[in-house]
């Protein structure tokens, strides 16, 4: 459980991060909790009909798949159970051209850069170009002091924890330490940094004052 002091500190850091994200062209918002995040996002996405979801625990904590499905929207979610490899691939490709794509970030710097690392590249591709809008949902646990710290967080925290959660046979999933491996199951293969909002992809960042995901 967060102490009131940690909540206060995260709020101060979050507001500073949002300010710098806005300077870098992003439509950035800080909210106090997941419910406020859900309410804000549902107001942003009202005009859209089709939605893609990257592999994100953070986004799913907000219940957006259920909200949108209940409203009769088209949802491209490759985390559905019992999908064939061919179905999963088709859904991931559909995410590239949907109206609105949801994902999280592996790290966000206080200076306003967004860092992501992928294995297949469907998430990093959709974040950069294709959908009419991208919405990035992230908890304050993913905020680092600067770009170097954000890249370090990916190697030291996000990468090992994600590999462990997927039961990958990689050194980091065994030891918790990144060795820049050549494992066939390595998940860190493509790194993208959004220094500024992509020219053709309006991007909203919803920063939530809670710990979400890896």
């Amino acid at each position: 459980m967060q102490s009131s002091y940690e909540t206060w500190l995260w709020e101060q850091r979050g507001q500073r991060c949002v300010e710098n994200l806005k300077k870098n062209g992003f439509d950035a918002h800080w909210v106090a909790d997941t419910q406020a995040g859900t309410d804000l996002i549902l107001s942003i996405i009202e005009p859209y009909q089709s939605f893609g979801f990257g592999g994100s625990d953070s986004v799913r904590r907000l219940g957006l798949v259920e909200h949108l499905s209940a409203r009769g929207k088209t949802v491209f979610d490759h985390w559905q159970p019992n999908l064939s490899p061919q179905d999963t691939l088709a859904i991931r490709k559909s995410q590239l051209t949907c109206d609105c794509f949801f994902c999280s970030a592996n790290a966000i710097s206080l200076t306003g850069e967004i860092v992501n690392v992928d294995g297949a590249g469907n998430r990093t591709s959709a974040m950069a170009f294709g959908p009419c809008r991208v919405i990035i949902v992230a908890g304050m646990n993913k905020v680092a002091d600067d770009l170097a710290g954000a890249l370090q967080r990916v190697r030291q925290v996000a990468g090992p924890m994600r590999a462990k959660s997927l039961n990958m046979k990689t050194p980091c999933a065994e030891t918790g330490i990144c060795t820049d491996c050549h494992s066939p199951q390595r998940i860190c293969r493509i790194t993208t940094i959004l220094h500024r909002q992509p020219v053709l992809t309006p991007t909203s960042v919803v920063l939530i004052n809670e710990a979400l995901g890896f």
Side-chain angles (χ1 to χ4, degrees):
M1 179 179 293
Q2 283 180 264
S3 70
S4 60
Y5 304 110
E6 184 177 39
T7 299
W8 167 81
L9 180 61
W10 275 11
E11 179 176 356
Q12 304 311 305
R13 288 170 61 84
Q15 297 287 8
R16 179 181 168 192
C17 185
V18 162
E19 180 181 339
N20 286 323
L21 284 165
K22 288 180 176 179
K23 288 180 181 177
N24 289 345
F26 299 99
D27 171 46
H29 307 264
W30 176 92
V31 295
D33 53 38
T34 52
Q35 184 58 58
T38 300
D39 293 342
L40 172 63
I41 289 168
L42 290 176
S43 70
I44 294 173
I45 65 176
E46 186 61 34
Y48 303 116
Q49 296 300 317
S50 63
F51 300 85
F53 286 82
S56 169
D57 291 305
S58 300
V59 172
R60 283 163 176 78
R61 282 276 299 276
L62 275 63
L64 294 169
V65 172
E66 294 77 13
H67 279 293
L68 294 170
S69 296
R71 295 182 180 194
K73 304 292 187 179
T74 300
V75 174
F76 300 112
D77 179 15
H78 64 272
W79 275 16
Q80 298 175 67
N82 304 317
L83 291 175
S84 69
Q86 293 79 12
D87 289 339
T88 299
L89 179 59
I91 290 171
R92 284 176 163 171
K93 287 184 176 181
S94 295
Q95 292 168 357
L96 299 175
T97 55
C98 62
D99 292 337
C100 181
F101 180 71
F102 289 102
C103 61
S104 189
N106 294 128
I108 300 177
S109 70
L110 277 177
T111 47
E113 295 99 352
I114 301 168
V115 178
N116 283 281
V117 176
D118 261 6
N122 57 297
R123 177 178 58 134
T124 50
S125 295
M127 292 176 75
F129 178 77
C132 298
R133 175 174 291 276
V134 169
I135 298 181
I136 300 170
V137 179
M140 279 300 299
N141 56 309
K142 296 187 175 182
V143 174
D145 287 343
D146 52 25
L147 180 56
L151 290 164
Q152 185 177 49
R153 184 186 189 279
V154 173
R155 290 175 59 93
Q156 295 185 350
V157 179
M161 291 180 71
R162 185 60 175 156
K164 185 68 173 178
S165 76
L166 295 172
N167 297 313
M168 293 299 181
K169 297 185 184 302
T170 59
C172 68
E174 294 293 327
T175 67
I177 299 172
C178 175
T179 60
D180 194 17
C181 72
H182 289 83
S183 168
Q185 292 195 338
R186 172 174 171 150
I187 63 171
C188 300
R189 295 171 177 266
I190 303 164
T191 300
T192 62
I193 302 172
L194 300 183
H195 298 278
R196 303 290 187 271
Q197 177 177 264
V199 173
L200 298 177
T201 310
T203 304
S204 297
V205 182
V206 179
L207 197 57
I208 299 176
N209 207 37
E210 296 181 7
L212 297 174
F214 304 129

